Amino acid sequence: MVAGTSAGGIVALALGAGLRPAEIVEHYQQLIATVFPASRRTWRSRLAQLNSPIYDADVLRTALQDVLGAELLGQSTMRLVIPSWDVQARGVHIFKTPHHARLRRDWRIPMVDVALATSAAPLYFPAAAVDGHRLIDGGVWANNPSVVAIAEALSMLDVPLSAIRVLNIGTIDQLSYHPRRRDRGGLLQWMKPIAPLILDAGSRGGQGLAEHLVGKDNFIRFDALVPGGLYSLDAADPADVAGLAAAVSRNLSPLFTERFGGHSAEPYLPLYGPDADSASSPTEASDATR
């Protein structure tokens, strides 16, 4: 099972659509150049941000369609769990493949719509309208979705904690400096760092809970530590990031081989959707709970 939020949600969906990791890297490089052009990072664009998102959701949709096509969530080749947040209902919204008898609705939703919802970062993109909901980036509550994945395995798939191993892939961990004056600071001191701090705290909290649940030996974190302020959500050189990943992978590879290399998951058979086996599908089930 793969759980992913925001950029990780797009990667998860691409894996579910059958793309190999190397193909996803190539598509991401194209997506970054198309969706985050340097021309939108000028001071004029930042002024426009006061009243509207910086980037165009239609451009992002087109770029995602080039990767995911017209595939539905129910056509994923693996179990997926993709967090988002419903701004109207003020609640958690999780897209799930039909891997349980209760999960009967989300399979009809195009993967592109799910990708738009989980990556609709406030300030950068408008909220996504999906299946009657107004949704934004799942990172506002599940920046690190490890615990979400563990909960899904326990509650919906009846997998015991002792059998769960987690490979947690980050998107660069940046060191931050917290000056003493900010301890007693007001709006001017906190306005810029507060959003990254909340995201970082949520991610580290999720990681800590996941490690506590499955044990540190069963939780492997893959991330690159860099100086603070080096990259932002919409400004990261793909070549630099690839180089960082290559360096970190030298240390990760032996652990990955030891903990995950010999494991082969049983084939995933969706219970509902165009690829479901009607003979094995439950005859009675309630609507999905999100």
Side-chain angles (χ1 to χ4, degrees), residues 78-233:
M78 61 184 65
R79 299 175 184 87
L80 298 180
V81 179
I82 313 293
S84 187
W85 178 264
D86 190 322
V87 294
Q88 186 171 14
R90 291 171 48 198
V92 166
H93 190 104
I94 307 176
F95 294 98
K96 302 178 182 182
T97 48
H99 50 257
H100 188 278
R102 290 165 53 189
L103 306 176
R104 302 182 62 186
R105 296 181 59 178
D106 289 351
W107 72 263
R108 302 178 177 88
I109 300 174
M111 286 189 176
V112 168
D113 286 347
V114 178
L116 285 169
T118 193
S119 62
L123 302 181
Y124 292 92
F125 294 103
V130 180
D131 196 28
H133 301 273
R134 292 158 50 202
L135 304 173
I136 63 171
D137 195 319
V140 300
W141 73 276
N143 199 35
N144 184 331
S146 297
V147 174
V148 180
I150 293 169
E152 187 74 7
L154 285 169
S155 64
M156 303 294 270
L157 302 177
D158 295 323
V159 179
L161 272 175
S162 59
I164 297 176
R165 295 174 184 167
V166 179
L167 175 62
N168 180 222
I169 302 175
T171 54
I172 297 178
D173 186 7
Q174 299 196 70
L175 290 171
S176 59
Y177 171 64
H178 187 93
R180 287 185 177 275
R181 65 176 181 278
R182 193 176 295 155
D183 293 352
R184 300 177 60 83
L187 180 62
L188 290 178
Q189 291 289 336
W190 279 101
M191 184 169 55
K192 186 175 180 180
I194 188 64
L197 185 149
I198 291 174
L199 290 174
D200 186 46
S203 179
R204 291 181 181 275
Q207 177 181 340
L209 287 171
E211 289 180 343
H212 182 70
L213 288 169
V214 303
K216 287 194 174 184
D217 289 341
N218 293 322
F219 186 98
I220 305 299
R221 171 79 171 172
F222 174 52
D223 209 353
L225 185 63
V226 300
L230 192 60
Y231 302 112
S232 65
L233 182 148

Side-chain angles (χ1 to χ4, degrees), residues 24-25 72 93 136 245 283:
I24 297 173
V25 171
L72 304 178
H93 190 104
I136 63 171
T283 56

